[in-house]
C-alpha cells in the first residue's frame, strides 16, 4: 500500500488533490481512498489530506501517520508545521517551490535521511501560466504521477477532465501536461 499525505493551506485545493489521486488510481484499476483532516476550517489555515493506493482492498481508515509520499503544496509550511512527522525511511517528497531544497534549508534533513528522495516543482507557476491562478494541486498530482509511475498520465488527465468538465478541465489538463514535460526535462525519475 502506498500512503500519501498532502499538506497545504485552506483554499489551495489540498482535498481536491487527494481526491484526484484516488480517482486516478481507481481509473488505473487500483483500490484507493482519499479523505481530509481539518484544523480550523478557514482560508489559509494548515490543511492535511490523505490518500491510500493499493492493489488490494483498503481497510484502514485512520489518518496517514507514516507516509511513503509527502506532497507539500505550500512551502511556507516547511518550518511552521512538522510536515515530516512519521515519514518513511525511503519516502518520496515533492514540494511546490521554485527554490531548490538547499535554499529551502532542508539540506540537513536530506543528509540525515539518505533514503528520502526530495524534489521541488514550480506547480503554482505552471498553474498560473494556464489558469491565471496559482493552484498547485493539479501540478502536484501530475508531478507525483510523472515521478513515480504509480498512476498513468492518461488516468490523471481523465480524472481531471471528469472532475472539471469544459474549459476549466482542459486548462487543468494543460497544467498536468506541462508538469509532465517539466519533470521529464528537469527531475530524475524515481
Amino acid at each position: 500500500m502506498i500512503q500519501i499525505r498532502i499538506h497545504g493551506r485552506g483554499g489551495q485545493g489540498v482535498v481536491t488533490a487527494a481526491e484526484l489521486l484516488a480517482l486516478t488510481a481507481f481509473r488505473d484499476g487500483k483500490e484507493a481512498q482519499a479523505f481530509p483532516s481539518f484544523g480550523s476550517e478557514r482560508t489559509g489555515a494548515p490543511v492535511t489530506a490523505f490518500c491510500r493506493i493499493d492493489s488490494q482492498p483498503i481497510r484502514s481508515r485512520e489518518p496517514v501517520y507514516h507516509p511513503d509520499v509527502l506532497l507539500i503544496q505550500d512551502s511556507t509550511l516547511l518550518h511552521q508545521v512538522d510536515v515530516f512527522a512519521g515519514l518513511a525511511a525511503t519516502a518520496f517528497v515533492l514540494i511546490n517551490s521554485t527554490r531548490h531544497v538547499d535554499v529551502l534549508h532542508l539540506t540537513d534533513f536530506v543528509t540525515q535521511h539518505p533514503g528520502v528522495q526530495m524534489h521541488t516543482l514550480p506547480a503554482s507557476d505552471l498553474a498560473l501560466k494556464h489558469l491565471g491562478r496559482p493552484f498547485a494541486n493539479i501540478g502536484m498530482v501530475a508531478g507525483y504521477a510523472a515521478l513515480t509511475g504509480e498512476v498513468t498520465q492518461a488516468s490523471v488527465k481523465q480524472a481531471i477532465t471528469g472532475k472539471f468538465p469544459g474549459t476549466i478541465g482542459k486548462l487543468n489538463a494543460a497544467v498536468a501536461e506541462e508538469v509532465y514535460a517539466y519533470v521529464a526535462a528537469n527531475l530524475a525519475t524515481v
Side-chain angles (χ1 to χ4, degrees), residues 23-48:
L23 285 170
T24 299
F26 183 73
R27 289 185 176 277
D28 281 336
K30 299 177 182 181
E31 298 289 324
Q33 67 175 215
F35 54 98
S37 173
F38 295 104
S40 59
E41 296 182 35
R42 61 183 174 81
T43 301
V47 174
T48 306

Side-chain angles (χ1 to χ4, degrees), residues 2 4 17 20-21 24-25 28 30 53 69 71 92 94 121 137-157 159-160 176-177 179-181 183-184 187-190:
I2 298 168
I4 303 162
L20 282 172
L21 271 176
T24 299
D28 281 336
K30 299 177 182 181
I53 300 172
V69 177
L71 301 180
F92 167 74
L94 184 60
L121 171 70
N137 56 349
I138 299 298
M140 299 303 285
V141 170
Y144 166 79
L147 282 170
T148 67
E150 291 292 334
V151 292
T152 64
Q153 182 177 8
S155 291
V156 170
K157 183 176 180 178
I160 290 167
E177 187 174 319
V179 166
Y180 268 88
V183 169
L187 303 178
T189 57
V190 177

Side-chain angles (χ1 to χ4, degrees), residues 9 12 72-81 96 99:
R9 294 189 183 274
Q12 292 179 332
I72 303 170
Q73 289 188 190
D74 190 324
S75 63
T76 65
L77 294 172
L78 289 170
H79 304 289
Q80 292 180 0
V81 176
N96 172 35
R99 298 177 290 166

